[in-house]
Amino acid sequence: MIKAYLVEDELFAREYLKDSLLESKKVEIAGEADDIEKAIWEIQQLQPEVVFLDIHLAKGNGIELAKQLHSLKKPPFVVFVTAFDEYALTAFELDAVDYILKPFDEKRIEHTLEKIIKWKQLKTNDDRPQPVKEIKPDKSVNKLAVVKDERIIFLDIHNIIYIGTENRQVFVKTVNDKYVIDTLLYEIEQKLDSYSFLRVHRGYIINLEYVNEIEQWFNGTYNLIFSDGSKAPVSRSYIKTVRQCLGF
């Protein structure tokens, strides 16, 4: 069972969310609140695994509460449930598990619960003590883990053409396929730091090995065209770096 806490100041919305969660048979409601002050105190006492959180509250802002929860010693997972879509980027920067727009249905809630179960399993594995191994520098693993069809797939980093964002999701484009992942773009950039990847746009990291052509775009920007015909934009703030790396 998933131990959950609800933060929602609209009674009808909170009751509907509660009923949807209980209907799944996967959730135990540990508590609920309609304001930040009560919520932060009870969450620290009850230690729920996940907090379902509205953003616009009569007394406070859900984003601010999420920031406080993020700093706890044992932070719960956070799922935003809101009628406003403009905070999605901020939500994922706070490592939110999901961002549900109202009005939602039971299928949407079920999808979120499945995601929480996966994250719980990954967290459990991370928390288990692991045997200490000596990793030799020449034995580095050139893989990036992605999830597809409920399976974890390890992609060869050298086969990745670029990583981008689309519909507020991060995806990996390879030579043969495309994968949506839950990792933030800046975290992937850190993993690829020692490879031939370059940030060319706020939402794109590209593999220089696959760049075949460069086309001029509007306002002095460019598009990079890769060997498979796909494209990625170069924003003006990254043009100097791209010119230096590609020598044009």
Side-chain angles (χ1 to χ4, degrees), residues 118-219:
K118 290 178 184 177
W119 281 44
K120 277 183 62 178
Q121 185 60 48
L122 289 172
K123 187 175 186 300
T124 300
N125 292 338
D126 288 343
D127 290 343
R128 290 174 181 165
Q130 301 294 325
V132 177
K133 296 181 180 179
E134 181 183 356
I135 306 297
K136 298 180 180 180
D138 59 346
K139 295 288 186 180
S140 57
V141 179
N142 302 317
K143 302 287 184 180
L144 180 68
V146 300
V147 177
K148 185 171 184 177
D149 299 330
E150 299 185 356
R151 294 182 301 155
I152 297 177
I153 300 172
F154 293 93
L155 303 178
D156 188 328
I157 287 176
H158 298 292
N159 287 335
I160 296 173
I161 298 176
Y162 62 88
I163 301 96
T165 55
E166 185 176 80
N167 298 324
R168 295 190 292 272
Q169 290 183 309
V170 178
F171 67 89
V172 176
K173 177 70 173 65
T174 67
V175 175
N176 299 313
D177 213 336
K178 182 177 178 180
Y179 305 85
V180 175
I181 59 176
D182 289 326
T183 311
L184 297 175
L185 202 62
Y186 80 89
E187 294 178 347
I188 299 177
E189 186 176 18
Q190 292 175 351
K191 292 180 180 179
L192 301 177
D193 185 57
S194 60
Y195 299 90
S196 58
F197 285 82
L198 181 68
R199 188 72 168 260
V200 298
H201 186 280
R202 182 179 179 184
Y204 284 86
I205 302 168
I206 63 100
N207 188 341
L208 294 166
E209 300 292 336
Y210 286 94
V211 177
N212 267 16
E213 298 179 43
I214 301 168
E215 66 176 4
Q216 291 187 333
W217 201 234
F218 61 89
N219 292 332

Side-chain angles (χ1 to χ4, degrees), residues 2 16-17 19-27 52 79 97-98 100 104-118 150:
I2 302 169
Y16 183 76
L17 175 60
D19 290 344
S20 298
L21 293 170
L22 293 175
E23 184 69 22
S24 73
K25 307 297 184 183
K26 298 176 182 177
V27 178
F52 288 85
V79 174
V97 173
D98 212 345
I100 305 174
F104 57 85
D105 56 27
E106 284 77 9
K107 288 185 178 179
R108 184 66 180 86
I109 290 294
E110 185 66 28
H111 174 76
T112 298
L113 295 179
E114 290 174 1
K115 186 181 291 189
I116 292 169
I117 290 170
K118 290 178 184 177
E150 299 185 356

Side-chain angles (χ1 to χ4, degrees), residues 51 53-55 62-63 66 78-82 91 94 96 98-100:
V51 174
L53 175 60
D54 192 10
I55 290 180
I63 294 291
V78 172
V79 174
F80 287 97
V81 183
T82 177
L94 291 170
D98 212 345
Y99 192 94
I100 305 174

